[in-house]
């Protein structure tokens, strides 16, 4: 347990799952073989894994906030707040891609890859999601706040 507004840096694991919930400060975490689940994030977020799924939910997204989600072999699912202000990009080579937001347009590129780019609200924050072998999904979370 940490204080709600703690900053988590260099959280890492080699063969294990990482779960973080309700931390309002910046979060930086990585694992080699394991899934990551970060819920109720409110600041900068940098999550990476080699072999594992990334699932995250943000309660606010705007301003100069930066979100980076990277995996090689795994899916990415991110819940973004309905009132988000962000520039969003995503890439996958071998996997599907979907979004609950009509502003985020998925384009298929020959022969296999898919790319997504779009602006939510007024832009500002940046969200980047990348995987090689896995799907990417952006879903609607709760209102920003």
């Amino acid at each position: 347990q940490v204080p709600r507004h703690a900053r988590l840096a260099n959280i890492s694991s080699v063969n294990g799952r990482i779960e973080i919930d309700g931390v309002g400060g910046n979060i930086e975490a990585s694992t080699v073989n394991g899934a990551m689940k970060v819920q109720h994030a409110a600041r900068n977020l940098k999550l990476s894994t080699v072999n594992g799924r990334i699932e995250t939910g943000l309660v606010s997204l705007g301003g100069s906030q930066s979100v980076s989600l990277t995996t090689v072999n795994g899916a990415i699912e991110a819940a973004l707040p309905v009132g988000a202000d962000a520039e969003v990009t995503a890439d996958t080579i071998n996997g599907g891609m979907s979004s609950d937001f009509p502003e985020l347009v998925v384009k298929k590129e020959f022969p296999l890859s898919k790319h997504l780019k779009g602006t939510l609200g007024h832009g500002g924050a940046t969200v980047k999601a990348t995987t090689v072998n896995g799907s990417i999904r952006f879903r609607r979370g709760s209102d920003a706040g």
Side-chain angles (χ1 to χ4, degrees):
Q1 289 185 344
V2 299
R4 176 172 284 292
H5 295 290
R7 178 178 61 98
L8 301 181
N10 301 317
I11 305 298
S12 64
S13 172
V14 174
N15 293 310
R17 178 178 179 85
I18 294 176
E19 289 190 43
I20 300 169
D21 190 356
V23 175
N26 295 342
I27 300 171
E28 183 177 334
S30 64
T31 184
V32 177
N33 297 309
M36 301 185 110
K37 185 173 183 178
V38 177
Q39 297 298 326
H40 304 102
R43 298 284 179 134
N44 294 336
L45 192 58
K46 184 175 183 180
L47 306 178
S48 64
T49 182
V50 176
N51 298 307
R53 172 184 176 83
I54 295 175
E55 183 180 344
T56 188
L58 289 111
V59 294
S60 65
L61 184 59
S64 62
Q65 192 173 351
S66 172
V67 175
S68 174
L69 310 170
T70 306
T71 182
V72 177
N73 298 307
I76 297 172
E77 182 173 325
L80 306 178
V82 173
D85 291 316
E87 301 289 333
V88 181
T89 59
D91 292 284
T92 182
I93 303 296
N94 299 309
M97 192 176 296
S98 64
S99 169
D100 291 350
F101 299 89
E103 305 92 330
L104 304 181
V105 179
V106 177
K107 293 182 181 178
K108 294 181 182 178
E109 297 176 2
F110 183 78
L112 296 173
S113 67
K114 292 174 188 67
H115 178 76
L116 175 146
K117 187 173 183 177
T119 302
L120 297 176
H122 302 292
T126 59
V127 176
K128 184 175 182 181
T130 306
T131 183
V132 176
N133 299 307
S135 62
I136 298 175
R137 178 175 181 225
F138 292 103
R139 62 181 179 82
R140 289 184 185 273
S142 59
D143 290 331

